[in-house]
Every structure is written in structure tokens, then in C-alpha cells.
Amino acid sequence: MRDSVETRARILKTAEKIFSEKGFDGARVDDIAKEAGVNKALIYYYFKSKNEILETILSNLFQEAKNLLVQSAGNTSDISSEGGYRKLFDAYINFVTRNRKIIKIAIAESAKDDAKPSIVMELGKIIINSEIENIRREYSAKGIHYPDDKQELLVLEFFTGLVPFLAYALYKEQWESLYNVSEEELREAFYRVYTRTHLAAHLP
Amino acid sequence: MRDSVETRARILKTAEKIFSEKGFDGARVDDIAKEAGVNKALIYYYFKSKNEILETILSNLFQEAKNLLVQSAGNTSDISSEGGYRKLFDAYINFVTRNRKIIKIAIAESAKDDAKPSIVMELGKIIINSEIENIRREYSAKGIHYPDDKQELLVLEFFTGLVPFLAYALYKEQWESLYNVSEEELREAFYRVYTRTHLAAHLP
Amino acid sequence: MRDSVETRARILKTAEKIFSEKGFDGARVDDIAKEAGVNKALIYYYFKSKNEILETILSNLFQEAKNLLVQSAGNTSDISSEGGYRKLFDAYINFVTRNRKIIKIAIAESAKDDAKPSIVMELGKIIINSEIENIRREYSAKGIHYPDDKQELLVLEFFTGLVPFLAYALYKEQWESLYNVSEEELREAFYRVYTRTHLAAHLP
Amino acid sequence: MRDSVETRARILKTAEKIFSEKGFDGARVDDIAKEAGVNKALIYYYFKSKNEILETILSNLFQEAKNLLVQSAGNTSDISSEGGYRKLFDAYINFVTRNRKIIKIAIAESAKDDAKPSIVMELGKIIINSEIENIRREYSAKGIHYPDDKQELLVLEFFTGLVPFLAYALYKEQWESLYNVSEEELREAFYRVYTRTHLAAHLP
DNA sequence: AATGAATGAGTGTTCATTCAT
DNA sequence: AATGAATGAACACTCATTCAT
């Protein structure tokens, strides 16, 4: 019973790795099985199809992202203070770093032409909404003016709020090796840049 | 003779479309042939492999991007003026809009684990370098202080300068349909956000 | 478990047949699958490629040929006696008759321009060496003079010792049908000719 | 006109080379075109099909072989004399050496299961018949006994008369490189072996 | 006589998925 | 819960051959 749960988890973890390395279509169920150390047929015992593995992985990301938002909305009493903002930033950076493999998959998949909006857009929507709620609360509490243009706010939150974090997850490793910097150096530079751009745009 | 050039171009254009819709691995050579209205074997008359089609497409993007940079560096006499900056912004937005299909492909491919740096990183590098040159020239001409931290500047240019444009190309259509806005509305909102974040970070 | 071994063997046997009928390049994996009564993909479950099937077949021949030589070298106490020689001849004729399909393949492949020496030449080498050992032992035991010219001996063993047997395997069936003789008639005529030529050359 | 004849001949010569290197089925019309320095379509201007090229090549060999036999039957007044025999041997060795590429093709093709007898068997038949005629004439002129068993004579002529020459053509180059001997050394060793085996069998 | 472009029918190989145990 | 064997449907790529000029 314990074993069975662990096996399923191992399959998911391995699929995550291989999907992120090769892309969903480029990944082979054979490779997942081999690297997870299980028989290929066993994968089909736990999952209906290769596609279901992907959906499971992405929906897990969704759930975790939601949890993070709820949690950070609860924990962060004062976003606009330096320390409060840094805490939030760290929580986000840690999240995208920890989940960077899945985020890569999500981004790659989001490029495809599907009828439904891509997971990244969905993710963006809930993150943005939660963020906007936070901001609105903050702002109104402080009597700060809140931008009138809803569209502009959405664009701000998505393209300069969420997207750089996703790009961070996507290119973190390539960046570190191309420019020969440590994880810390990159994170700190990213923090300074992020505050000078996105955060700055929030202040009046 | 003319026809042959046109046929090759049609194959490339169609591959571009299908790669961007399905991803490289998800795309079928059969589908490219069918949609381009040519015999499948003819594709292999012009290109050694499916992969060579991809490389051709991406290297064309590379070339066009370089040309754009050279051109915009030459044309824009005064980036720091409102009108000058808007011109540059329009040139970039037009470029990523026009080439959005290829950019989608490039981003999706850049997520894969390859030995060499992804095309997006390469693109980032040359764009950044060119940009940094421009900026340095502008700044020194005006006696404005230029940031000391090279890494921070790189991060600024890549994650808040280039990346939002790429994201714009990637999600433009999804955005328009999800939030039910016109291309112009999105572009204008994006312009305002971009000036308030990335451009603002450049001013002292 | 047993079945799996049998299935693999059936694929090999069928490939042997089809390669010998059509030549390696002329043979179709589809045909092998159909005639072996297995799914085409199953062939690739057991063998990495069409080429690996060929290599397996040829290396099996190699092994069997070696076994035959070891065995006949051990069993034949007196090659130079009429009965002893006939026994050896029968063993060889049976071997090439039984393996004639593979021998056809080996010969056809040996005609191609490959970097490495063809399997026929390799086969020739080990057969010749074993044969020469036998002869040398016999001769010295009997005080018979042994040819000085090593090259001449090699040529003798290969072109008039081995080659006629291979040709027998290659053309046996065509011969029987063209000249309308039975297997026995051909074998007996071949025996008389072989003793009058190759064997005679060994006697002083 | 001259050119056209020369072009056709060059195509044939190149096809000969490539068929002998790769086998008929392994050879590519593209490769023949490239190596002959002509456009692929031009090959189909001169020959109906790839198969017709093969047939042309093989039928040329046939013709040349016949010519050789007629000629050698006419020229050689006394086969049974040492000098006469050597002359004949040289003529044959030269023929198979010069035509070794085509002979390789013929042998490889002769391994396939075709309804009609292979070209090697056909070749064998005419050579044998001519040879037998020669021998019979010689023998009766000298009052030497002529073997009663027709089958045995056929086997003798084919398997120890013709076949070693074909094998010589087939393996000459491999032999020279494997045993590191010159063309002359091999030919002389072959001559001595041939006289000690096949020729000896003809003498009472 | 010669060529660049085009094509139909394969051809070896792969892959997600299923079956029997 | 787990596995080795099996399969149908593709799939990228090839190749002999033809067409238009």
C-alpha cells in the first residue's frame, strides 16, 4: 500500500523530469519506465494514458500554486514594507525554482494551439486575481489610488509580474551556466531588477 | 526557377505554422506536405530532415532579429525621447507580432534540455549586447550614470526587457480571446506597462 | 518464457529464408513478419534492426562452423583413409546443405565492398587453419612431405577446398533442377570430383 | 553523337562499380548519377529502368565470355601442352580479373531465388559445353580415354573448373589485403594450385 | 541530350497502448 | 501490483521513376 503510493509518485516524478527535458511529445513512455525503474505496463496500471500523466502533473502544479497564493495572502501582513515584500518574493522564487521542471512543461505546452486557454494563462488568471485582491486591499487600507484601467493592471501583473518568474524558472539553469553565476547571484540580481520594475510600478 | 524558390518558401511558411501549432515533435511532416500542397518527398528534396527545417526557420529568425537591431540602432537618433522610444517599441512589437509563430517554436524548443544554450538565450545575448551598446552610448552622451553591476543589467534587459516581448508574442492571441480585447488595446496597455516598468528602470 | 524463445527463433528462421531468397537489401521486414506470423513491431522487440538480424544469423553460422571443425578434428582419427575421408566429407556436405540458406546470404554479402573482410573470408581463415593443423598432424605422423609454400597451401585450401563446398550450397538446388539430377547423384558426383581434385592434391 | 555514346558508357561503368560495391538492391540510382556526373533523369533517357541497366551489364558479360571462349578455342592449338595451358589460364585469369566487378554482381544476383536459372549457371553451361568440346577434341585426337559419366564431368568443370575462377574474381582483392600478397603472387599460387587440382583431374 | 522539380509507393523503425499471466 | 510479450497505427525518410522545359 505504502509501496504502491511511492511507486506512483516515482512515476510522476520521473515523467516530470523527462517531459521537462524532452517536451511532452518528445518524451517516451519507455524512457519514463526505464528511468523510474518500473515495467512500462505498470505505468498504464496507474495512469490511463501518457496524457493523463501530463494532466496529473499540471493539475498538481495548479493546486500547489493556489495553496501558495492562499498561504502568502494570509501570511504577508504588510506587502508594501521592504521585509514583507522580500518574504513574498522569496516564497515565489522558491516555488518556481522548486517546480521549475513542471513550469517548463507548462510553458512548452502553452505554446501549442489548443481550443482552451493554456495552463499558463489559467495560472496567470488566478495568480493575478489573487494578487489584485491583495493589492486592492493594501491600497484601500492605505488610501492609495488604485489604477482605473483594469486591462492595464492585468497586463502589468501578467507580463511584468508573473512572466519574469516563469522565465526565471525556465532559463535559470541556462543562465547560470551561460553567464557563469551562482544561484544566489542570479536570485539577488533578479530581486533588485524585479523591485526596480514591477514593484516600482505599483507604487504611486 | 522562380517557382522552386516559391515552393521552398511555402514549405517553410507551412512548417512554421504547424510547428507553432503542434510543437516540433508534435508536428507531422505529412501535415506540412498536405497543407503546403506539395508531395512529402519534395520536402526532403529541399531539406535534409524535419530538423533541418526547424534549424532553417530558427536561423532565419536569428538573422531577421539581427537585422532589426542593426536597423533600429541606426535609425533611432534619440531613444530617450518619448517619440524615439515609441518608434523603437513599435518596431519591436511589430517584429515579435509578425514573427510570433517562430517565436513560439523557439520558446517551446528552448525549454528542452540541450547541451548548447537555447536559441532564446542566444537571441537574448545579442539583443542585450546591442541594447546595452545603445544605452551606454545614450547615457554617456547625456552624462547619465550607467549601472555598475553588469549582471544586474543583463538580468534587467533579459527578464524585463526581452522576455515580456517574447511573452507578448507567445500569449497575444490567447490573451485577446480570453480577455476579449482588441490587438490595439492590448498593445497600448502593454506599451504603458512597459514604459512604467522596464523603461522606468533605465531612467535615473 | 519458452514461447518467447520459440518466437525469436521463428523470426530468425524466417529472416534466414527471406534473406536467402531476396538478398538482404531486397528483403522486406514486412515480409519476414508476415511469414513468421508475428507483428512487425515484435521483430524490433527482439532485434534492434534489420541489420542485427543479419548479424545474428551470420554469427550463428560462424559458431556452428567452428563447432563442426572442432568436432570433426576430434572424431576423425584417420583422414587419409578412404572411410575416414568420406566421413569428413559427409559431415561437411551435410553442414553446407543444412545451412545453405545462410551460406547464400553470406556469399551475397561477401561480395559487397566493406572495410572489414567478408564473413566468407573469415570463415575461410578459421576453416583453413583448422584444416592445415589436421593435415600437418597427419602428414608428420606419416612422414609425408608437407608443402613449403604457405601461400600456395592457403590458396589450395580456400579455392579448391572450401569454395567448392560453398558453391555446392549456393547452386545445389539450381543444379538439380537445371540438370535434372537427384540430390544423391549430385552429391556422389561431387564426392568423386572432390577426391580427384582437392584430395589428390594433398597426396604426394 | 560521340558524346552520347560516351555518356551511356560512363553510366554503365559507374553502375557496374556501384552495383558491385553495394549489390543491386543496395545501389541507388542517385548515387550512380552523382558518381557518373550526370543528371538522374538522364539515366532514364538511356535506360528504361534500374533493372535494365543490370540486364545490360550482365548481358555484356555474357557476350564477352562467349567471345573469349570462341577465341581461346580457336587460338589454343594445344591445351595439353604446358605453354598452351598457361596461355589459356592467363586468358581466363585476365578475363575474370578485368570483369571482376560484373562477376561480383552476377554471383550476388545468382544467390537470389529466381524462377529462371541464374546467370552464373547459364555462364557455367556455355563455358562447360565449350570446354567439354575442346577436351573431347583434344582427347580423341590423342586417343585418351574420356570420362563416361557426363554428370561427373559437368560437376568437375563447374565446381573445380569455373567456380575457382569466379571465386578468384570475387575474393581477389580481399585476399590480397588480408594475406598481404601482391596480385602476381596470388595469381602464381592460384596457377600452381589450379594445375595440381583441376588440370590434374583431366589427365589420366 | 540534358536537367531541376516533382511524385507514389513504399521502408525501416517507433511508440503508445494492451494482453495474459 | 507487476511483468514480458504483443500489436496497430503511425512516422520520418527513401527511392525508382516521371514531367516539363
Side-chain angles (χ1 to χ4, degrees), chain B residues 20 33 38 41 44 53 60 71 119 129 131 134 149 153 165 193 201:
Chain B
S20 84
V38 301
Y44 289 90
I53 303 178
N60 283 352
Q71 197 178 318
I119 178 137
N129 285 337
E131 188 78 354
N134 282 347
D149 188 340
L153 190 61
F165 273 108
V193 164

Side-chain angles (χ1 to χ4, degrees), chain B residues 2-16:
Chain B
R2 278 299 101 191
D3 271 7
S4 140
V5 169
E6 199 273 333
T7 301
R8 203 189 108 106
R10 189 150 33 90
I11 291 170
L12 275 181
K13 210 71 201 163
T14 311
E16 210 177 290

Side-chain angles (χ1 to χ4, degrees), chain B residues 24 65 70 123 154 163 173 187:
Chain B
F24 177 75
V70 169
L123 210 60
L154 289 172
V163 157
E173 270 140 350
R187 188 176 56 233

Side-chain angles (χ1 to χ4, degrees), chain B residues 14-31:
Chain B
T14 311
E16 210 177 290
K17 173 163 181 276
I18 296 201
F19 286 168
S20 84
E21 284 170 5
K22 310 281 181 74
F24 177 75
D25 290 304
R28 301 296 154 229
V29 176
D30 265 290
D31 292 344

Side-chain angles (χ1 to χ4, degrees), chain D residues 145-170:
Chain D
H145 173 68
Y146 186 76
D148 299 324
D149 187 341
K150 179 79 184 303
Q151 182 65 206
E152 189 178 324
L153 190 60
L154 288 172
V155 168
L156 177 70
E157 291 302 330
F158 184 76
F159 286 100
T160 75
L162 173 61
V163 157
F165 274 109
L166 298 181
Y168 182 90
L170 184 53

Side-chain angles (χ1 to χ4, degrees), chain A residues 19-149:
Chain A
F19 285 168
S20 85
E21 283 171 4
K22 311 277 180 74
F24 177 74
D25 290 304
R28 302 292 155 231
V29 175
D30 262 292
D31 292 344
I32 297 173
K34 200 173 296 171
E35 194 151 330
V38 302
N39 184 283
K40 190 174 28 161
L42 192 60
I43 291 180
Y44 286 89
Y45 176 80
Y46 285 109
F47 302 94
K48 201 160 55 78
S49 67
K50 185 185 168 189
N51 211 69
E52 204 191 74
I53 303 178
L54 176 64
E55 279 162 16
T56 305
I57 288 174
L58 292 183
S59 101
N60 283 352
L61 177 67
F62 226 84
Q63 210 48 52
E64 283 205 52
K66 272 187 197 159
N67 291 345
L68 174 73
L69 291 171
V70 169
Q71 199 178 317
S72 59
N75 283 359
T76 320
S77 49
D78 188 2
I79 294 176
S80 58
S81 79
E82 178 71 23
Y85 195 77
R86 178 69 206 216
K87 248 185 207 155
L88 195 62
F89 174 88
D90 281 345
Y92 287 172
I93 274 287
N94 287 340
F95 178 80
V96 298
T97 300
R98 182 160 24 90
N99 292 292
R100 64 188 182 282
K101 285 197 182 71
I102 315 185
I103 289 171
K104 278 187 194 180
I105 303 170
I107 293 171
E109 287 305 301
S110 79
K112 289 186 191 165
D113 269 15
D114 244 337
K116 49 178 185 173
S118 70
I119 177 131
V120 168
M121 291 293 284
E122 296 278 21
L123 211 61
K125 222 173 163 181
I126 57 168
I127 291 178
I128 287 169
N129 285 335
S130 138
E131 188 78 355
I132 287 179
E133 266 325 295
N134 281 347
I135 295 165
R136 199 192 303 272
R137 224 179 309 123
E138 287 277 328
Y139 281 22
S140 58
K142 304 200 165 185
I144 299 177
H145 174 69
Y146 187 75
D148 300 324
D149 187 341

